[in-house]
Amino acid sequence: MAMSTQILAASVLSGVNIVFLSALAAVWVRNYRTFRTSLVLGLLAFAVVMLVENAFALYFFFTMQSLYSGDPHVQQAVLVLRGLQLVAVAFLTYVTVR
């Protein structure tokens, strides 16, 4: 079964999220080693959880295509949610790395 365009786009957005979250985790690991604060540890935990979530999303996009192929509204909702997450993570990456 071929992957729809919307789910393919959602997969790309998840991949970009993983790249941004990896950069954030690297910065926050370095900061935690320096400052040892609970705030930085919380940010690091946030990045790790979001990394795992995006990895699972990619796994489901590629292995359970029938789950998303039945309803175009579900595909559109998944794409919108991935897009919103990308905007949030991109903004956080920008202010962190700046």
Side-chain angles (χ1 to χ4, degrees):
M1 175 179 288
M3 185 179 286
S4 77
T5 305
Q6 290 178 330
I7 294 301
L8 181 62
S11 300
V12 170
L13 294 180
S14 287
V16 174
N17 280 337
I18 288 172
V19 171
F20 283 153
L21 288 165
S22 296
L24 285 172
V27 168
W28 289 334
V29 163
R30 187 185 66 215
N31 287 348
Y32 184 71
R33 287 181 179 160
T34 302
F35 301 111
R36 299 272 181 199
T37 64
S38 59
L39 175 64
V40 176
L41 184 61
L43 291 170
L44 180 58
F46 170 80
V48 170
V49 170
M50 292 300 291
L51 267 170
V52 170
E53 189 271 338
N54 277 281
F56 271 119
L58 273 179
Y59 171 77
F60 284 120
F61 291 153
F62 284 104
T63 61
M64 303 184 83
Q65 294 175 13
S66 62
L67 181 67
Y68 298 106
S69 66
D71 189 355
H73 297 294
V74 171
Q75 296 173 5
Q76 190 174 20
V78 167
L79 179 59
V80 168
L81 292 174
R82 290 289 144 194
L84 289 172
Q85 187 180 65
L86 176 63
V87 170
V89 170
F91 182 73
L92 190 56
T93 303
Y94 174 74
V95 298
T96 300
V97 177
R98 194 173 77 124

